[in-house]
């Protein structure tokens, strides 16, 4: 009896051991053959992040080209500004005026104060006021428009702006064209004497037009005197002209830095995301 019981226990122990070995073998094979479900690393997020670096790099390249063009333009205008002043002909060819922008010119004549216009409002060194645009009747009978410069607001209400410059005058100025009006600038109101921006054609018509030999030619008067004399002119209400400088805005370098920085940043984000997703797709063993 005892021998049969011992034999039975031995067989039962052998069965348990075989079962354990079999289970362990099955687990090992499953662990070796298991592969995590792979997700495609390419998706909408990758597409967007892949598009942004390319797009912003293209914008940076375009702004670099614009920067080179603007620098060349400013250099060209500076070169024009430093040439010797010229006298305008009696009849100015309007089609070539843009080629002479910022070119210094000499003018002689007398002011037509009754057709003076206030352009503005403008601000100069914290003082509010306007620019005075007055037709200059030249000795040859033709008339051009001259932006004589800034005058404080307190002198604009009951003033004809003829003080200090009576009779024939000679002025030095820069040839300019109509101002570029943005969407925030109101419309001019010539009948009310309100001018927010320099519309040369409309100003010439206001001053008399072709009937009075007024040409749509716009000159900004240059002031090259001392700061003490400038302060004296402002205190007396005499229009003060502008400095002889090129005031073309050039912000393309900041745009270049912005777009290239954004391109580099998004490219780094894209690389990090791709590496992370590729790592997630690697096979992983089952936990034990």
């Amino acid at each position: 009896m005892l021998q049969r019981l011992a034999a039975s226990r031995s067989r039962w122990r052998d069965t348990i051991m075989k079962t354990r070995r079999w289970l362990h073998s099955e687990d090992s094979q499953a662990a070796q053959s298991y592969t995590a479900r792979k997700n495609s690393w390419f998706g909408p997020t990758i597409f967007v992040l892949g598009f942004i670096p390319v797009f912003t790099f293209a914008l940076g390249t375009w702004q670099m080209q614009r920067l080179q063009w603007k620098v060349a333009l400013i250099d060209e205008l500076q070169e024009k500004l430093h040439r010797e002043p010229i006298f305008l002909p009696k009849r100015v060819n309007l089609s070539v005026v843009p080629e002479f922008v910022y070119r210094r010119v000499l003018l002689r004549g007398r002011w037509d104060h009754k057709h003076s216009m206030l352009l503005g409002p403008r601000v100069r060194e914290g003082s509010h006021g306007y620019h005075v645009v007055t037709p200059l009747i030249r000795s040859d009978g033709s008339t051009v428009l001259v932006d004589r410069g800034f005058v404080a607001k307190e002198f604009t209400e009951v003033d004809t702006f003829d003080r200090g410059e009576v009779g024939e005058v000679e002025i030095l100025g820069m040839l300019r064209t109509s101002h570029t009006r943005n969407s925030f600038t109101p419309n001019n109101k010539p009948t009310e004497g309100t001018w927010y921006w320099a519309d040369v054609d409309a100003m010439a018509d206001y001053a008399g037009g072709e009937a009075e030999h007024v040409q749509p030619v716009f000159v900004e008067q240059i002031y090259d005197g001392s700061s003490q004399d400038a302060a004296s002119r402002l205190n007396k209400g005499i229009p003060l002209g502008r400095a002889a400088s090129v005031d073309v805005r050039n912000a393309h370098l900041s745009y270049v830095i912005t777009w290239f920085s954004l391109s580099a940043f998004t490219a780094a984000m894209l690389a990090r995301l791709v590496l992370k997703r590729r790592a997630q797709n690697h096979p992983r063993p089952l936990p034990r």
Side-chain angles (χ1 to χ4, degrees), residues 61-73:
T61 303
W62 174 62
Q63 285 296 334
M64 180 68 75
Q65 295 171 350
R66 293 279 296 172
L67 174 62
Q68 295 171 349
W69 167 80
K70 185 62 71 69
V71 170
L73 174 63

Side-chain angles (χ1 to χ4, degrees), residues 52-235:
I52 292 177
V54 176
F55 181 68
T56 51
F57 185 85
L59 287 176
T61 303
W62 174 62
Q63 285 296 334
M64 180 68 75
Q65 295 171 350
R66 293 279 296 172
L67 174 62
Q68 295 171 349
W69 167 80
K70 185 62 71 69
V71 170
L73 174 63
I74 293 175
D75 289 343
E76 179 185 350
L77 295 177
Q78 288 280 11
E79 190 272 334
K80 289 181 179 180
L81 184 60
H82 289 90
R83 292 180 185 176
E84 288 297 318
I86 60 174
F87 283 96
L88 291 180
K90 179 178 180 179
R91 189 69 183 176
V92 178
N93 184 356
L94 300 179
S95 63
V96 301
V97 168
E99 300 177 13
F100 287 83
V101 169
Y102 282 98
R103 186 69 188 269
R104 290 186 299 167
V105 295
L106 285 171
L107 300 173
R108 291 193 184 98
R110 53 187 177 85
W111 298 116
D112 180 11
H113 292 291
K114 66 179 180 179
H115 287 116
S116 288
M117 294 161 270
L118 294 177
L119 181 64
R122 299 288 188 268
V123 179
R124 182 188 178 97
E125 298 179 354
S127 177
H128 294 266
Y130 294 83
H131 279 210
V132 179
V133 179
T134 304
L136 181 70
I137 304 174
R138 299 193 290 170
S139 55
D140 58 18
S142 64
T143 301
V144 296
L145 303 172
V146 179
D147 181 350
R148 299 166 61 195
F150 179 85
V151 66
K153 185 177 181 180
E154 56 265 27
F155 295 103
T156 61
E157 297 181 358
V158 289
D159 205 333
T160 58
F161 313 109
D162 58 354
R163 61 169 63 88
E165 295 180 317
V166 180
E168 187 174 75
V169 297
E170 178 176 299
I171 68 165
L172 174 67
M174 292 189 304
L175 197 60
R176 298 300 303 272
T177 56
S178 292
H179 294 170
T180 301
R181 178 193 174 199
N182 60 41
S183 57
F184 300 101
T185 304
N187 292 323
N188 292 328
K189 300 177 182 179
T191 57
E192 301 177 11
T194 304
W195 302 89
Y196 297 103
W197 57 287
D199 184 349
V200 178
D201 291 328
M203 287 178 162
D205 290 339
Y206 176 83
E210 286 289 341
E212 298 296 331
H213 307 291
V214 180
Q215 301 179 72
V217 177
F218 194 71
V219 176
E220 292 181 347
Q221 187 172 355
I222 294 174
Y223 174 77
D224 55 2
S226 65
S227 58
Q228 292 82 3
D229 184 43
S232 176
R233 291 173 67 93
L234 289 174
N235 292 333

